[in-house]
Amino acid sequence: MKAIGIIGALCVIVLGSSLAIGQTVRGNPKEGQAIYEKNCLRCHGSQLDGKGPDSQDLIVRPANLQSSMVRSKTDWELLVTISNGVLFSPMHSFRGKLTDQQMLDVLSYIRAVSPPDVVS
Ligand code: HEC
């Protein structure tokens, strides 16, 4: 009887923590849109096509977030770029500027407008 209780408690802990993880990795595209408009639109554009109002002035042109090159990247790859930036380019790091949750939110907005291109 005691063993069943312990196993039951373990199941609750494992299940509970996986649910919690499932919730934290999900971004909110609505919040993400507001974050995008404030932090990314001037370069990446309102259509996510890399033609934002500031893009003309940059030597390295902002990435077209609608392109198949971006759509075929994983969430993780894009998050690393948003977090770390791209060396020697105007795409600076957003770590410290945006929270992890805000970066997930903005990623989920990008994915909603420009869905991932899953290679099968
Ligand atoms: C000052 C202009 C500027 C701002 C602001 C900016 N970016 Fe960028 N971004 C760039 C440039 C330029 C590149 C392309 C770098 C390259 O080609 O090597 C880029 C690249 C990227 C990439 C990589 C695409 C790929 O091919 O992997 C992602 C993702 C991205 N930006 C997302 C964002 C997000 C999200 C924000 C807002 C939180 C943002 N950027 C803000 C200029 C900007």
Side-chain angles (χ1 to χ4, degrees), residues 94-111:
F94 281 90
R95 196 190 304 120
K97 200 157 180 265
L98 298 176
T99 64
D100 289 354
Q101 184 61 52
Q102 287 174 317
M103 288 192 245
L104 283 172
D105 290 346
V106 85
L107 177 71
S108 67
Y109 170 67
I110 293 170
R111 291 306 209 182

Side-chain angles (χ1 to χ4, degrees), residues 32 35-36 39-40 44 48 63 65 70 73-87 89-111:
I35 297 162
Y36 181 88
N39 297 280
C40 325
H44 291 284
L48 278 67
L65 302 178
V70 169
K73 286 188 178 165
T74 62
D75 287 357
W76 179 246
E77 285 174 294
L78 298 180
L79 273 176
V80 166
T81 301
I82 297 167
S83 177
N84 292 349
V86 178
L87 207 60
S89 100
M91 178 68 201
H92 55 83
S93 153
F94 281 90
R95 196 190 304 120
K97 200 157 180 265
L98 298 176
T99 64
D100 289 354
Q101 184 61 52
Q102 287 174 317
M103 288 192 245
L104 283 172
D105 290 346
V106 85
L107 177 71
S108 67
Y109 170 67
I110 293 170
R111 291 306 209 182

